[in-house]
C-alpha cells in the first residue's frame, strides 16, 4: 500500500517543487515504485521530470471522466531510477479544474460525496501499484491543496525562515486541523525549513522561535547546487561528496525515516 506524501505551503516560492523533486527521485533511487501527481498548473515538476505537458487531462481524471492509465506517464531520463518513477503531469489546463467541478457537480456528489474527496477516491486503486505517491501542490489554499490534504498520510511543509513566511503558516495549520478533524484523522505533518541562509542571524532566531511552537526538521540551506540540480535535471543524491545540498537532504530524509 503506497504511502501518500504531499508537499504543501500556500505561500509561493518556498521550495515545494524542489522538495517534491528531490523526494520523488530519492525514493525511486532507493528502489521504490513512485507516482508523482502534479496538481500545480505551473507544471514545474512535470517539466523537470521530463513529462509532456502539452495535453494533460488531469482535471478530467480527477472528476472521473478519464482512466488512470490514460494520465500516468513514465518520467524521462537516463539513470536507472527513472524506471521506478511515473508522473501524472499537470499543465495550464489544470486551471480549468474549478470550472469543471461546477459543471460536473452532480456527478462529483454521486461518486465522491464531496469534491474534497475526489483525489482520495482516484488514488485508492493506484495505492496497490505504488510504494509512494508524492503530490506537489500550487501556492494557494484552493481545491487542489484541500484534496491533497484529504488524500495524504503525511504533509511536508517547506518554510522559509522569514517573518511573513512563518505568519502564513498559521493559515495552513488551521486548514490542516480542520481536515484532520473532519476527513483525515491520521494526517501527519512535518515543518521543513527551506532555502535557509545560515549566515543570517535573524533567520536562525526565527527558526528557534518556530521550533518552540512546532517540531521542525533539519534545514535545507539556500545553495547554488540546489539550483543546478533543477536546471541540470540532476537530483542532489547524484551529486559529488562535497555537495552541500546532498548533505542537507541526506540529513533530512534520515530524520524523517525515509
Ligand atoms: N535550497 C535551495 N537553494 C537555492 N535555491 C532553491 C532552493 N530551493 C528552491 N530553490 C529555487 O527557488 C525557486 C523556487 O523554488 P520552488 O519552485 O521549489 O518553490 P515553490 O514553492 O514550488 O514555488 P511555487 O509556489 O511557485 O510553486 C526555484 O528557482 C528553485 O530552483
Ligand atoms: Mg512549485
Amino acid at each position: 500500500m503506497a504511502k501518500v506524501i504531499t508537499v504543501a505551503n500556500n505561500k509561493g516560492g518556498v521550495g515545494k517543487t524542489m522538495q517534491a523533486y528531490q523526494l520523488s527521485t530519492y525514493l525511486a533511487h532507493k528502489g521504490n515504485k513512485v507516482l508523482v501527481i502534479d496538481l500545480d498548473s505551473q507544471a514545474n515538476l512535470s517539466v523537470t521530470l521530463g513529462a509532456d505537458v502539452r495535453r494533460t487531462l488531469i482535471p478530467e481524471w480527477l472528476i472521473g471522466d478519464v482512466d488512470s492509465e490514460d494520465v500516468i506517464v513514465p518520467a524521462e531520463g537516463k539513470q536507472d531510477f527513472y524506471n521506478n518513477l511515473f508522473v501524472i503531469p499537470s499543465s495550464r489546463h489544470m486551471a480549468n479544474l474549478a470550472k469543471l467541478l461546477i459543471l460536473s457537480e452532480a456527478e462529483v456528489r454521486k461518486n465522491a460525496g464531496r469534491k474534497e474527496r475526489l483525489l482520495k477516491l482516484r488514488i485508492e486503486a493506484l495505492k496497490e501499484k505504488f510504494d509512494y505517491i508524492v503530490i506537489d501542490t500550487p501556492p494557494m489554499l484552493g481545491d487542489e491543496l484541500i484534496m491533497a490534504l484529504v488524500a495524504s498520510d503525511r504533509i511536508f511543509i517547506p518554510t522559509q525562515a522569514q517573518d511573513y513566511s512563518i505568519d502564513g503558516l498559521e493559515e495552513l495549520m488551521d486548514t490542516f486541523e480542520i481536515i484532520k478533524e473532519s476527513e483525515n484523522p491520521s494526517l501527519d505533518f512535518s515543518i521543513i525549513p527551506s532555502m535557509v541562509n545560515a549566515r543570517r542571524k535573524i533567520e536562525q532566531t526565527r527558526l528557534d522561535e518556530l521550533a518552540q511552537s512546532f517540531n521542525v526538521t533539519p534545514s535545507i540551506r539556500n545553495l547554488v547546487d540546489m539550483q543546478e540540480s533543477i536546471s541540470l535535471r540532476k537530483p542532489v543524491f547524484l551529486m559529488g561528496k562535497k555537495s552541500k545540498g546532498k548533505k542537507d537532504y541526506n540529513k533530512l530524509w534520515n530524520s524523517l525515516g525515509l
Side-chain angles (χ1 to χ4, degrees):
M1 262 320 237
K3 279 250 171 297
V4 184
I5 304 176
T6 285
V7 184
N9 193 324
N10 47 317
K11 189 167 184 310
V14 296
K16 293 182 287 296
T17 299
M18 173 69 81
Q19 196 120 101
Y21 176 66
Q22 303 300 345
L23 175 66
S24 55
T25 51
Y26 172 78
L27 290 170
H29 171 67
K30 297 256 286 187
N32 299 289
K33 201 169 170 202
V34 180
L35 174 66
V36 170
I37 303 178
D38 188 355
L39 293 182
D40 186 358
S41 65
Q42 297 179 102
N44 294 337
L45 183 55
S46 306
V47 171
T48 310
L49 291 173
D52 185 351
V53 299
R54 276 171 306 178
R55 215 179 137 268
T56 56
L57 293 171
I58 186 165
E60 287 80 2
W61 171 71
L62 280 170
I63 63 163
D65 277 356
V66 168
D67 287 339
S68 297
E69 301 87 78
D70 296 329
V71 288
I72 298 177
V73 299
E76 295 284 339
K78 288 199 194 87
Q79 292 88 358
D80 283 348
F81 72 84
Y82 282 101
N83 298 327
N84 292 336
L85 193 51
F86 297 81
V87 192
I88 297 183
S90 190
S91 70
R92 286 277 152 220
H93 178 50
M94 185 64 183
N96 292 319
L97 177 65
K99 229 180 332 181
L100 216 64
L101 283 172
I102 296 170
L103 287 172
S104 48
E105 208 182 318
E107 194 189 345
V108 168
R109 203 173 311 128
K110 199 174 95 210
N111 296 332
R114 321 169 57 157
K115 65 178 179 182
E116 291 84 355
R117 295 181 191 145
L118 277 175
L119 180 62
K120 184 183 167 130
L121 191 73
R122 297 304 274 152
I123 63 176
E124 215 55 65
L126 294 175
K127 279 190 179 179
E128 279 161 32
K129 298 185 180 152
F130 293 92
D131 300 306
Y132 284 94
I133 297 178
V134 174
I135 304 172
D136 192 19
T137 55
M140 54 192 158
L141 272 170
D143 291 326
E144 297 88 345
L145 179 49
I146 304 280
M147 275 184 201
L149 292 177
V150 172
S152 297
D153 299 298
R154 303 176 77 168
I155 310 292
F156 288 178
I157 306 174
T159 305
Q160 283 183 283
Q162 289 155 3
D163 285 339
Y164 48 84
S165 198
I166 290 173
D167 293 345
L169 260 185
E170 271 176 43
E171 212 182 339
L172 179 59
M173 293 317 298
D174 285 349
T175 310
F176 169 86
E177 290 299 338
I178 291 168
I179 301 288
K180 194 172 159 79
E181 277 166 31
S182 59
E183 294 280 339
N184 192 357
S186 57
L187 186 61
D188 199 9
F189 75 93
S190 301
I191 294 191
I192 305 173
S194 155
M195 301 168 75
V196 172
N197 294 298
R199 287 205 200 89
R200 294 188 58 202
K201 240 188 161 159
I202 182 78
E203 293 203 8
Q204 196 50 56
T205 309
R206 290 285 167 272
L207 285 181
D208 293 343
E209 285 168 13
L210 193 63
Q212 285 167 13
S213 318
F214 302 104
N215 264 331
V216 295
T217 66
S219 304
I220 303 296
R221 287 169 286 180
N222 194 331
L223 298 164
V224 178
D225 56 356
M226 299 300 300
Q227 277 161 21
E228 281 174 4
S229 170
I230 297 293
S231 54
L232 303 173
R233 293 183 49 201
K234 181 178 174 181
V236 284
F237 65 76
L238 288 177
M239 296 201 170
K241 272 196 190 127
K242 284 192 181 144
S243 160
K244 291 177 178 167
K246 180 176 180 166
K247 255 183 229 160
D248 284 3
Y249 268 104
N250 276 340
K251 227 193 252 174
L252 175 65
W253 302 145
N254 277 335
S255 82
L256 292 167
L258 294 171

